[in-house]
Amino acid sequence: MTLKVKNDRVTDDAWNALYKRFEEDGLLPAADNSPKRGVLHSTGMKWAMIAAVACICIISALVIRNMNTGSQKMHILHNEENAPTLVTTLEDGSVVYLDQQTSIEYPVHFEKDRRRVSLQGDAFFEISKNRERPFFIETENARIEVLGTAFNVVSKDKDSFSLSVKHGEVKVTLRQSGQSTHVKAGETVLLESDNLQKTISSGNEKFNRYLKQIHFKDERLADVIRIINMNSESTKLSISPRLGDRLLTVTFSDNTPATMAELICLALNLKYTQSENVITIEEGKN
C-alpha cells in the first residue's frame, strides 16, 4: 500500500482514500458516531493509519532472532527478498544498511578491545571511528578490518566478494590464502581466481542505491535523525534530547527531509517547524 505524495507532501485526498480502504478492510479502530466519519481529520487517526501501513510493510521485510553464544548474547538481523534497505544502528553508533537477502550477526555488547560482526550478502557500512576498538567484519571469503570509514561489501557466497571504499581505508584478508591488501577511498577490491585484485571505483551509484528506499524497525528517533542528516547535503533535522529514545518503525522512499519530518510527526504524534535549512521536530499540543 502506498501513500501518494504531491509536491513532496502527503495530500488530504490520499489520506481520505487510505481511510476508506482501511475502514473497509477492518484495519482501523471502530469509529464513533461523529458526523464527519467519512473524512480523515485527526492526527491520531493518521497515526493509526501510518502504524497500519508500517505493520503491513515490515511483515516480509525482516527477521530478527536472538541467540546465546557462550556468555555473549547475539542478534541475527535478516532482510528478505524484494525488501527495502534495512537500516540499523549498532551499539557503538556504527550504521549498517542491509540489502535484500542479507544477514548480519552481531553482539548486543561489543568486546572491550574489538568490535566484530559476521555478514552474508550485500551491505553498506558507516563505521564509527575508535582506534582502541578496531571493527572486524567476517565474511565467507575474507576478514575486513576497519577503524572508521564508509564502504560497501558484496559477499553473497563463497565465489563472490568485492569491497568498495567511499571514504577512509580498509584492510581485507582472504581466509584461505592469507593474502591481504589495503583499500582506500575510490578503490574497489575484487576476488578473482582466488586472488584479490584492486581497481578504481566507478562513481558512487554502488553506495547511493542503498538509500533509495530505506526501512527502520524500532529504531531510536535520535538514530533515525542522525542517519537522515548523514545523508542530507542541505536541510537538516533537529529534535530535543527528550524525544531521542522514542522508537520508530517507518519506510522512506527517496523522500526529502521535509517529507521525512512529516511522516515522523504523523507516526509519533509530534509537530515540526522549518527555519531556513533546519527542520525542528518537537512535541505536539495535547
Side-chain angles (χ1 to χ4, degrees):
M1 188 159 300
T2 305
L3 286 179
K4 292 184 179 180
V5 178
K6 183 177 181 181
N7 295 327
D8 214 29
R9 284 288 191 276
V10 181
T11 65
D12 287 340
D13 288 343
W15 286 122
N16 293 332
L18 273 177
Y19 177 90
K20 184 176 180 180
R21 172 72 179 278
F22 277 36
E23 187 178 43
E24 291 173 351
D25 293 345
L27 296 176
L28 294 177
D32 57 22
N33 294 321
S34 168
K36 296 183 179 180
R37 179 184 173 194
V39 181
L40 180 64
H41 289 284
S42 69
T43 299
M45 189 61 72
K46 288 182 180 180
W47 175 89
M49 290 169 59
I50 283 287
V53 171
C55 288
I56 292 170
C57 290
I58 67 174
I59 287 174
S60 61
L62 74 151
V63 175
I64 300 178
R65 182 158 57 92
N66 296 331
M67 60 183 294
N68 291 317
T69 304
S71 60
Q72 196 172 35
K73 186 176 180 181
M74 305 291 290
H75 284 325
I76 295 179
L77 189 61
H78 176 69
N79 201 17
E80 297 288 355
E81 186 177 5
N82 298 322
T85 299
L86 179 60
V87 186
T88 191
T89 303
L90 304 182
E91 178 197 32
D92 65 332
S94 297
V95 180
V96 184
Y97 303 76
L98 296 182
D99 199 4
Q100 57 178 308
Q101 293 184 294
T102 296
S103 298
I104 186 171
E105 180 180 342
Y106 59 96
V108 177
H109 301 293
F110 287 116
E111 300 172 56
K112 292 182 179 180
D113 60 344
R114 69 184 62 192
R115 299 166 288 169
R116 182 162 45 193
V117 304
S118 296
L119 176 73
Q120 183 175 4
D122 301 353
F124 177 64
F125 290 84
E126 288 269 10
I127 303 301
S128 296
K129 190 172 184 177
N130 187 337
R131 292 189 176 277
E132 304 301 320
R133 300 172 78 191
F135 196 104
F136 295 93
I137 302 169
E138 307 286 351
T139 73
E140 191 166 358
N141 291 299
R143 163 178 277 198
I144 303 161
E145 181 180 356
V146 300
L147 295 174
T149 184
F151 55 95
N152 85 303
V153 181
V154 177
S155 181
K156 287 192 179 298
D157 54 55
K158 62 183 181 64
D159 297 320
S160 67
F161 176 86
S162 69
L163 180 146
S164 301
V165 177
K166 185 176 182 181
H167 59 75
E169 184 175 345
V170 173
K171 180 182 178 181
V172 178
T173 303
L174 288 181
R175 289 184 175 277
Q176 187 171 359
S177 66
Q179 179 192 5
S180 65
T181 187
H182 287 257
V183 189
K184 299 180 180 180
E187 295 180 335
T188 294
V189 64
L190 303 168
L191 180 61
E192 295 182 351
S193 302
D194 297 325
N195 288 297
L196 294 174
Q197 303 289 336
K198 280 200 300 185
T199 64
I200 301 300
S201 301
S202 55
N204 287 324
E205 179 56 31
K206 60 176 61 67
F207 309 121
N208 296 336
R209 69 183 182 86
Y210 291 95
L211 304 176
K212 294 184 181 301
Q213 187 177 34
I214 59 176
H215 178 72
F216 296 93
K217 165 62 177 172
D218 289 337
E219 283 287 304
R220 294 175 62 249
L221 181 56
D223 290 328
V224 174
I225 296 300
R226 181 170 65 91
I227 292 167
I228 291 173
N229 288 339
M230 285 168 53
N231 295 292
S232 176
E233 297 181 357
S234 55
T235 304
K236 304 295 183 180
L237 305 188
S238 174
I239 60 169
S240 61
R242 63 178 175 271
L243 297 177
D245 288 332
R246 293 203 183 185
L247 299 182
L248 178 65
T249 294
V250 67
T251 299
F252 298 124
S253 298
D254 234 353
N255 298 124
T256 65
T259 300
M260 293 183 198
E262 182 179 8
L263 293 173
I264 289 170
C265 290
L266 287 170
L268 298 179
N269 197 23
L270 302 173
K271 65 178 183 179
Y272 73 93
T273 57
Q274 182 167 0
S275 177
E276 296 182 351
N277 291 328
V278 177
I279 297 175
T280 302
I281 297 175
E282 53 194 356
E283 291 179 302
K285 296 180 179 179
N286 295 325

